Amino acid sequence: ELKVEQNPLFLSMQEGKNYTIYCNYSTTSDRLYWYRQDPGKSLESLFVLLSNGAVKQEGRLMASLDTKARLSTLHITAAVHDLSATYFCAVALYGGSQGNLIFGKGTKLSVKP
Amino acid sequence: DAGVIQSPRHEVTEMGQEVTLRCKPISGHDYLFWYRQTMMRGLELLIYFNNNVPIDDSGMPEDRFSAKMPNASFSTLKIQPSEPRDSAVYFCASSLHSSNQPQHFGDGTRLSIL
C-alpha cells in the first residue's frame, strides 16, 4: 500500500525566510505532483515531477524529486505573505493509471510579516 | 477554458434526504475523479472514470454512494440516504490521459447534513 507522509504539517514562517517542505512515500513511484489550496478554495496544480532528479521552479517555489530516496521537497525562498496556503504532494503508483494518486495530509503554511 | 464546473457550491440538507452533486469536466479530458475532503481524513479518492467508464470505485464508502457519467461532459455523485458523517467538501477533478498532466480540480461542493 502506497503511503505518503508530509512534514511538517504546520509551518509558521517569517517573511523573507527560507524553508523546505518534505514529502516521503513508501513504494516505487514515477510521478509526483504538488498542489496548493487556499482556505475554502480548490486545489491548484503547481508542479509535475516525472523523473529522478527532476527540478522545477516557479517564482519563490522550487520542487525536486529523488525517486531513489522516495522523497520530494518543496523549497520556499524568501517567503512572502501571499504564499500562505496548504500545500499537498500527491504520488502516483509506479506504472499506475491517472487514478492511482495518493495525497499527503498537506502542510499548512502561514507566512507572517 | 472554463475549468471544471461543480454544482451546487453549497448544500445543506437534513439526514435521510437524497443529495446529488454535479460535475462538468474540462472539455477534452478523458479522466474524471470524485474526491472527498475532511479535516479528519484529508483528501480521499472516491471513484474515477476513464472515457465515461468507472474504473475504480473502491473508495466509495458505502452503498449509499453512487456515481454516474452518462456522457463525456457530465457526472453525478449521489448520496441516498444522507447521514451527518457525509458532511464534507466534495471535489470533482478531470485530466488528460497523459500521465504527465495534473488533475484539474473544481471549486468543490460544501455539503452539510443536519
Side-chain angles (χ1 to χ4, degrees), chain A residues 33 35 37 42 50 97-98, chain B residues 37 48 98-100 103 105-106:
Chain A
Y33 307 81
Y35 288 86
Q37 185 179 34
S42 182
L50 300 175
S97 73
Q98 272 273 9
Chain B
Q37 186 177 39
Y48 77 95
S98 174
S99 63
N100 65 356
Q103 296 178 15
F105 283 74

Side-chain angles (χ1 to χ4, degrees), chain B residues 6-78:
Chain B
Q6 291 186 244
S7 64
R9 291 295 311 277
H10 303 273
E11 175 90 11
V12 180
T13 192
E14 292 188 347
M15 182 175 65
Q17 297 298 307
E18 178 178 294
V19 173
T20 300
L21 311 181
R22 297 172 176 80
C23 176
K24 176 178 168 59
I26 292 173
S27 178
H29 282 191
D30 53 352
Y31 280 86
L32 184 139
F33 309 85
W34 282 100
Y35 289 91
R36 178 172 67 177
Q37 186 177 39
T38 61
M39 288 293 293
M40 291 298 294
R41 300 176 67 88
L43 197 63
E44 303 173 281
L45 176 66
L46 300 177
I47 185 172
Y48 77 95
F49 297 82
N50 179 217
N51 292 322
N52 313 338
V53 176
I55 303 300
D56 185 352
D57 66 353
S58 59
M60 297 285 261
E62 298 172 31
D63 291 344
R64 298 184 296 106
F65 286 69
S66 62
K68 294 182 179 180
M69 191 166 186
N71 57 63
S73 58
F74 184 66
S75 178
T76 59
L77 178 67
K78 186 174 293 186

Side-chain angles (χ1 to χ4, degrees), chain A residues 33-59:
Chain A
Y33 307 81
W34 283 97
Y35 288 86
R36 167 181 172 148
Q37 185 179 34
D38 291 303
K41 302 293 186 181
S42 182
L43 280 79
E44 173 192 356
S45 174
L46 294 175
F47 301 109
V48 179
L49 302 170
L50 300 175
S51 60
N52 186 41
V55 177
K56 293 202 173 175
Q57 183 164 5
E58 180 75 31

